[in-house]
Amino acid sequence: MDEILLLDATERYLKGEMPQHEISMFEEFRKSNPEADQLVVEHIYFLQQMNKYGEAKKFKHSLGEIETKLLEEGFIAAPKLTGKARVVQLWSRYKRSIAVAAGIAGIVSLGSTGVVVNYAKKYSAENYQVLVGRLHETTSQLNETTRAVNKLKSDKFNSSSAKNEPKVDYRATGFLIDGKGYLVTNAHVISQMKNIYVENNKGDFFSAVAVYRDNNSDLAILKIADSSFKTISNLPYSINKSNADLGDQFFTLGYPRDIIVYGEGYVSAKSGNDGDSTAYQLTVSANPGNSGGPVINRNGEIIGIITAKDSKADGVVYAAKSKNIYSLLEKLKRDDSKYQNIKVPTNTALRGFDRKQQIKKMEEFVFMVVGN
């Protein structure tokens, strides 16, 4: 029996979806085939660990909500680090260990937390769809690929990039967090890219490199590594450190097409897929290519980064919370001191402008991310 069919049969067997005659055949097959029986046993164990991990995720989400509420009401405060002393609040130090304790067996069995999180999303929700555009899938997209390659050969590129003549297979979105050429996008966007390029709304292409990637938050930091890119002194928006409120209205900018596309919606839940407290559920339209796009509130503050959508529910989209960007930068700076000079914009110049003006001031800092 094919392995995939065997796993499917195992799940139907556990869910009680098999008719009696098929149950008898399945059990007889297991008795006569030790290798198949071992695979069934391992798959049952895997499913049990995934259920435990799901419970741990819910528990972690509850702890995160409690901490947020206590911070907002002033019962606890995040300590500030001064000098070289390392002050660690006990709750902040141990809450992660408590949250994942119930799921430790599943984590060990798969090798790493990142693998568990990513696999669990795909496994527990087949409708969880990341939003990376695959440019080779349709004729129109093939035309866009040709267009992109031709641009890569143009004089807008430096000579080393032009010589590569790369085939562009994927498209998504990213946005600047530092005018020196640092962008944020999703980790899954660049996971299959060896060569990365970004294009602004004026049609200028630049080569880029990934300087840090975190699969747990599904975020990555890119650096434009192209001599033709000019540093931007001030970004007009800020990156929000706090949680958005239920019902907060926002707009998005991204590249589900080869031109920038606008969308608008509202925060419909304070957690993402499977109760993920590091993400939001949004009500907005999104398509392949929107992954990595910014979610901007009415004050011109980025509150999230689009990551995926529910393919079976219209308008249900998931976005990583913007405060994850700060955690990502802390890890990067801790691991490599040469990135200490990255400065995230903390003040917005978009407050008070109407939506059309905000979009005009914002769109030049949102990039198409392509690669192969």
Side-chain angles (χ1 to χ4, degrees):
M1 181 182 290
D2 181 84
E3 182 174 323
I4 295 177
L5 293 177
L6 180 60
L7 296 180
D8 179 66
T10 301
E11 293 186 30
R12 290 192 297 112
Y13 176 76
L14 293 174
K15 292 178 181 178
E17 297 174 353
M18 275 188 177
Q20 188 58 46
H21 71 278
E22 193 174 350
I23 291 175
S24 300
M25 292 174 61
F26 181 72
E27 291 177 343
E28 187 62 31
F29 175 76
R30 289 180 61 183
K31 291 178 182 178
S32 61
N33 193 321
E35 292 183 358
D37 182 66
Q38 179 62 30
L39 183 62
V40 171
V41 171
E42 290 175 355
H43 191 56
I44 292 173
Y45 176 76
F46 173 78
L47 293 176
Q48 291 172 342
Q49 299 309 312
M50 286 300 97
N51 288 333
K52 291 181 181 179
Y53 183 79
E55 292 300 318
K57 289 281 288 182
K58 291 179 181 178
F59 182 44
K60 178 181 176 181
H61 172 65
S62 298
L63 291 177
E65 291 293 316
I66 292 171
E67 182 192 24
T68 299
K69 185 174 180 61
L70 291 174
L71 284 169
E72 290 175 349
E73 295 181 358
F75 287 103
I76 62 173
K80 296 182 178 180
L81 300 180
T82 57
K84 296 184 178 179
R86 186 179 181 183
V87 182
V88 182
Q89 189 177 21
L90 289 178
W91 169 247
S92 298
R93 183 176 180 181
Y94 293 113
K95 66 174 183 178
R96 182 176 296 276
S97 298
I98 296 171
V100 301
I104 191 67
I107 294 173
V108 172
S109 67
L110 288 175
S112 72
T113 304
V115 174
V116 172
V117 171
N118 291 337
Y119 191 83
K121 286 181 179 179
K122 295 177 183 177
Y123 194 89
S124 63
E126 293 180 357
N127 50 324
Y128 187 89
Q129 177 187 350
V130 294
L131 299 173
V132 178
R134 297 176 183 270
L135 297 183
H136 58 278
E137 287 183 349
T138 67
T139 302
S140 62
Q141 289 172 333
L142 279 171
N143 292 335
E144 291 176 9
T145 302
T146 303
R147 165 185 169 276
V149 171
N150 288 337
K151 281 194 174 185
L152 294 174
K153 296 177 184 178
S154 73
D155 57 1
K156 293 175 183 177
F157 251 119
N158 59 35
S159 59
S160 62
S161 296
K163 289 180 180 178
N164 291 331
E165 300 185 4
K167 176 185 175 184
V168 179
D169 295 323
Y170 303 98
R171 178 182 62 214
T173 305
F175 59 93
L176 286 174
I177 58 170
D178 186 306
K180 292 186 287 292
Y182 292 96
L183 303 95
V184 161
T185 187
N186 291 133
H188 71 256
V189 167
I190 63 168
S191 63
Q192 300 182 62
M193 294 183 184
K194 293 183 179 178
N195 301 294
I196 306 170
Y197 306 92
V198 298
E199 179 192 10
N200 63 20
N201 67 324
K202 298 175 183 177
D204 300 320
F205 269 84
F206 306 98
S207 58
V209 295
V211 298
Y212 201 81
R213 186 172 77 185
D214 180 58
N215 290 327
N216 290 332
S217 61
D218 195 10
L219 293 179
I221 297 175
L222 307 181
K223 174 68 167 69
I224 296 177
D226 199 310
S227 58
S228 62
F229 177 77
K230 296 180 180 179
T231 298
I232 300 168
S233 56
N234 292 303
L235 301 180
Y237 47 86
S238 62
I239 313 294
N240 207 335
K241 290 184 177 181
S242 58
N243 288 330
D245 291 324
L246 203 63
D248 272 356
Q249 295 180 340
F250 61 79
F251 70 94
T252 65
L253 294 171
Y255 284 93
R257 298 172 56 193
D258 60 344
I259 58 173
I260 198 164
V261 175
Y262 166 86
E264 60 180 32
Y266 58 89
V267 178
S268 51
K270 290 186 177 183
S271 61
N273 183 54
D274 287 342
D276 182 5
S277 62
T278 66
Y280 297 116
Q281 177 182 300
L282 311 177
T283 297
V284 67
S285 176
N287 293 291
N290 274 120
S291 271
V295 180
I296 310 111
N297 68 14
R298 63 178 67 188
N299 293 324
E301 302 165 325
I302 292 177
I303 61 172
I305 306 94
I306 291 179
T307 57
K309 73 174 183 177
D310 190 320
S311 62
K312 296 182 180 179
D314 291 340
V316 176
V317 173
Y318 303 111
K321 294 179 179 179
S322 56
K323 62 183 181 181
N324 292 326
I325 294 174
Y326 291 95
S327 301
L328 200 67
L329 285 172
E330 287 177 6
K331 294 176 183 177
L332 172 60
K333 292 177 180 181
R334 185 170 60 244
D335 291 349
D336 196 330
S337 60
K338 73 179 179 181
Y339 296 109
Q340 294 294 328
N341 62 343
I342 299 177
K343 294 183 179 180
V344 176
T346 55
N347 295 310
T348 175
L350 300 180
R351 190 187 302 271
F353 287 97
D354 63 33
R355 181 61 56 84
K356 290 183 180 180
Q357 291 175 311
Q358 289 180 333
I359 294 170
K360 287 180 180 179
K361 292 178 180 291
M362 180 90 194
E363 59 183 342
E364 67 178 285
F365 308 110
V366 180
F367 289 71
M368 183 192 302
V369 180
V370 295
N372 59 20

